[in-house]
Amino acid sequence: MAAAAPSQPTYLRTAFSGHGKQSACYIKKPSLNLPRKPLRYTRAVAGTNSSKVDIPKQWYNLVADLEVKPPPPLNPQTHKPLHPEDLSPIFAEELIKQEISEDRYIDIPEEIIDVYRLWRPTPLIRAKRLEKFLDTPARIYYKYEGTSPAGSHKPNTAVPQAWYNAQQGVKSVVTETGAGQWGSALSFASSLFGLNCEVWQVRASYDQKPYRRLMMETWGAKVHPSPSTVTASGRKILESDPSSPGSLGIAISEAVEVAATNSDTKYCLGSVLNHVLLHQTVIGEECIKQLEALNEKPDLIIGCTGGGSNFGGLVFPFIREKIEGRMNPLFQAVEPAACPSLTKGVYAYDFGDTAGLTPLMKMHTLGHDFIPDPIHAGGLRYHGMAPLISHVYELGMMEAIGIPQIECFQAAIQFARTEGIIPAPEPTHAIAAAIRAALECKKTGEKKVIVTAMCGHGHFDLASYEKYLKGSMVDLSYSPEKLQESLAALPRVEA
């Protein structure tokens, strides 16, 4: 007769080496009966930079430091400023408070910091081999978020969102995902706090990245390709286009519909909204301290942008430092040439989803009906930009460029063959821009300090690399006619 499984979690002893020293850490292996309360975790941190900084104790809210505040979200029925109670059917109460807060700092609960310790602080690494390959006098640093359990920056907000929902007594959370990084992160976080998790993954990425789906399912999530037959929003899209590749806007519509019609379910969003960007500021806060330890000040800070969480998380604390006169970097957002919301979109009120279920937000948008071509950077295939980033862009505090995907993958190959890390398709945009800047320094002789966001690894994106290596990848663009058609459908909001 087989022995009964132990009722208490077991502990695995692992050795962790760094700088010639070896220490032991004990990692709690949870039972399958997931507890409602979070487990306690410890993690040894090695690395020249990471060991010199602590995990931030507060999230930073850029809104507090802006003299001109961003335009408020609007109720889609009345076109009047949204009230907090309007969001209650779909979001946890504490997240709503954070969304509208103008407090400069918001304390991070200890239970969330405890989970952050699994991978934070993340390393800031100088790309010396890439510098040598490019023969540039520039110094290139990348803040690497691929050390998290989900392999990207997304758990920085997934963990707090899951925790706040669990604290409120919510039973289930629903969400959308593009490339699968956000869906993976929320699945991971939900498993820690005993939440059911249901994910709508954009059809193009669902087909391209099957291992992301399996990753989500391993953490206990239920995953649907979007558009799906599960929701009215999905069925409507499929009726008009049975072979629709989907989009983040469509997937958001499906998840929001489910949250709005089930009292025990809340919606979680992986980008765009203020509280999401707020949680991601742990990236920039750590990076500032790491650069200080190296006696470096950045001249150029680069990040990829889709909805904006990775870019905002890195850049916002540096904008604070620039406002206060402690440094003077240039901030550059890099988006896909095929989905150029900042560089080709318009600044207007629009829905955050395709079906028009969300509040109206003032943002740079290609129109909520716009469905981007299925580029490999699925996490950047969103029709709009985060309202707060859009506002900062309108204030002239940053710049934006678009880069086609072949140049991005060429940069990724150079990065992988010099630095050893295979980037996810999304940060290849930032790497390509960093290489452009470094080669310009080679021409001018400037010794600029370039900092870029490496928001995740590409271990589940190798099919994309295969297409590039075989020469079958093509640069996708957007149809000006379809863009104009989409923009014509923007909600009419009086100024």
Side-chain angles (χ1 to χ4, degrees):
M1 184 175 180
S7 59
Q8 296 296 320
T10 57
Y11 292 79
L12 305 178
R13 185 180 187 277
T14 63
F16 197 93
S17 300
H19 302 288
K21 297 180 180 179
Q22 188 176 66
S23 61
C25 65
Y26 292 83
I27 303 172
K28 184 172 284 188
K29 181 181 179 183
S31 67
L32 291 179
N33 297 318
L34 296 174
R36 194 71 177 174
K37 295 182 179 180
L39 302 171
R40 297 291 295 183
Y41 295 91
T42 59
R43 178 179 183 260
V45 178
T48 304
N49 255 182
S50 298
S51 59
K52 291 184 179 180
V53 301
D54 294 323
I55 298 171
K57 299 294 190 294
Q58 295 176 310
W59 293 304
Y60 167 64
N61 185 5
L62 177 63
V63 174
D65 285 331
L66 296 178
E67 290 186 8
V68 180
K69 303 303 181 187
L74 303 180
N75 184 299
Q77 279 77 44
T78 66
H79 289 187
K80 301 295 183 183
L82 202 69
H83 296 293
E85 55 268 24
D86 295 333
L87 297 172
S88 295
I90 57 174
F91 289 113
E93 296 301 325
E94 283 300 318
L95 297 175
I96 295 172
K97 292 178 184 178
Q98 292 177 7
E99 182 65 22
I100 63 175
S101 174
E102 292 189 5
D103 293 340
R104 197 177 195 217
Y105 295 100
I106 293 177
D107 291 338
I108 306 176
E110 178 57 35
E111 292 88 345
I112 293 172
I113 292 175
D114 186 51
V115 180
Y116 278 173
R117 290 190 182 104
L118 283 170
W119 72 94
R120 304 213 71 86
T122 58
L124 177 71
I125 303 170
R126 183 172 173 186
K128 290 183 178 180
R129 295 170 183 83
L130 180 61
E131 294 169 11
K132 184 178 179 181
F133 173 79
L134 298 174
D135 191 26
T136 178
R139 297 191 295 282
I140 305 171
Y141 292 90
Y142 59 97
K143 179 69 167 160
Y144 184 45
E145 292 293 304
T147 58
S148 77
S152 77
H153 67 296
K154 293 295 187 178
N156 296 333
T157 183
V159 170
Q161 289 192 53
W163 186 78
Y164 284 120
N165 273 287
Q167 290 295 108
Q168 191 174 312
V170 172
K171 302 297 183 184
S172 303
V173 291
V174 292
T175 196
E176 79 297 324
T177 194
Q181 291 182 343
W182 166 242
S184 300
L186 188 64
S187 302
F188 154 69
S190 297
S191 73
L192 297 181
F193 300 113
L195 295 170
N196 299 317
C197 182
E198 196 165 3
V199 182
W200 275 262
Q201 184 174 17
V202 173
R203 180 89 225 190
S205 294
Y206 183 92
D207 294 336
Q208 288 173 354
K209 308 173 196 295
Y211 294 111
R212 278 285 174 193
R213 172 179 56 80
L214 288 169
M215 197 176 189
M216 291 182 259
E217 291 173 344
T218 298
W219 276 314
K222 185 175 183 179
V223 187
H224 308 281
S226 174
S228 73
T229 58
V230 177
T231 67
S233 302
R235 290 191 294 272
K236 183 178 179 180
I237 296 292
L238 290 173
E239 286 172 7
S240 61
D241 182 6
S243 60
S244 171
S247 71
L248 281 169
I250 295 170
I252 290 172
S253 294
E254 297 203 79
V256 169
E257 178 184 321
V258 171
T261 54
N262 290 274
S263 60
D264 63 349
T265 301
K266 297 294 182 183
Y267 171 64
C268 295
L269 185 62
S271 192
V272 181
L273 295 182
N274 289 2
H275 69 271
V276 179
L277 276 61
L278 174 85
H279 300 154
Q280 292 293 353
T281 58
V282 293
I283 303 172
E285 296 286 24
E286 286 180 5
C287 193
I288 288 169
K289 297 296 184 184
Q290 290 167 325
L291 288 169
E292 286 176 354
L294 295 168
N295 198 30
E296 292 274 39
K297 287 190 176 181
D299 298 296
L300 175 62
I301 302 178
I302 303 171
C304 64
T305 47
S309 67
N310 163 61
F311 179 80
L314 175 64
V315 164
F316 284 179
F318 283 96
I319 292 179
R320 176 196 63 213
E321 299 300 294
K322 185 171 183 175
I323 290 172
E324 296 182 351
R326 287 192 283 268
M327 58 181 67
N328 190 33
L330 174 68
F331 306 107
Q332 186 178 78
V334 190
E335 59 187 7
C339 192
S341 60
L342 282 171
T343 55
K344 299 296 182 182
V346 299
Y347 187 51
Y349 273 103
D350 196 8
F351 293 104
D353 71 313
T354 301
L357 301 178
T358 69
L360 294 172
M361 298 177 287
K362 191 74 175 287
M363 60 183 177
H364 284 87
T365 179
L366 301 168
H368 60 277
D369 288 336
F370 184 82
I371 298 180
D373 284 336
I375 56 173
H376 292 283
L380 306 185
R381 292 181 65 245
Y382 184 59
H383 67 270
M385 184 53 59
L388 190 49
I389 289 177
S390 296
H391 181 62
V392 168
Y393 187 56
E394 284 295 301
L395 294 176
M397 302 173 75
M398 54 174 278
E399 65 177 36
I401 62 173
I403 299 182
Q405 66 178 356
I406 288 179
E407 180 182 345
C408 295
F409 273 86
Q410 179 184 15
I413 294 295
Q414 291 175 345
F415 188 88
R417 292 179 181 178
T418 54
E419 294 301 311
I421 296 172
I422 299 173
E426 290 78 15
T428 64
H429 293 73
I431 294 169
I435 288 175
R436 283 186 183 184
L439 291 176
E440 184 62 26
C441 287
K442 181 179 179 179
K443 293 178 182 178
T444 63
E446 294 176 281
K447 297 181 179 180
K448 288 185 177 181
V449 175
I450 302 169
V451 176
T452 187
M454 239 294 280
C455 58
H457 65 66
H459 299 171
F460 299 102
D461 304 286
L462 295 179
S464 302
Y465 279 88
E466 183 180 31
K467 285 195 173 184
Y468 174 81
L469 293 170
K470 286 185 173 180
S472 59
M473 180 177 287
V474 296
D475 276 333
L476 300 173
S477 186
Y478 65 93
S479 164
E481 293 77 20
K482 287 185 178 179
L483 175 58
Q484 290 307 312
E485 181 181 339
S486 179
L487 292 176
L490 286 175
R492 298 188 183 277
V493 179
E494 294 183 7

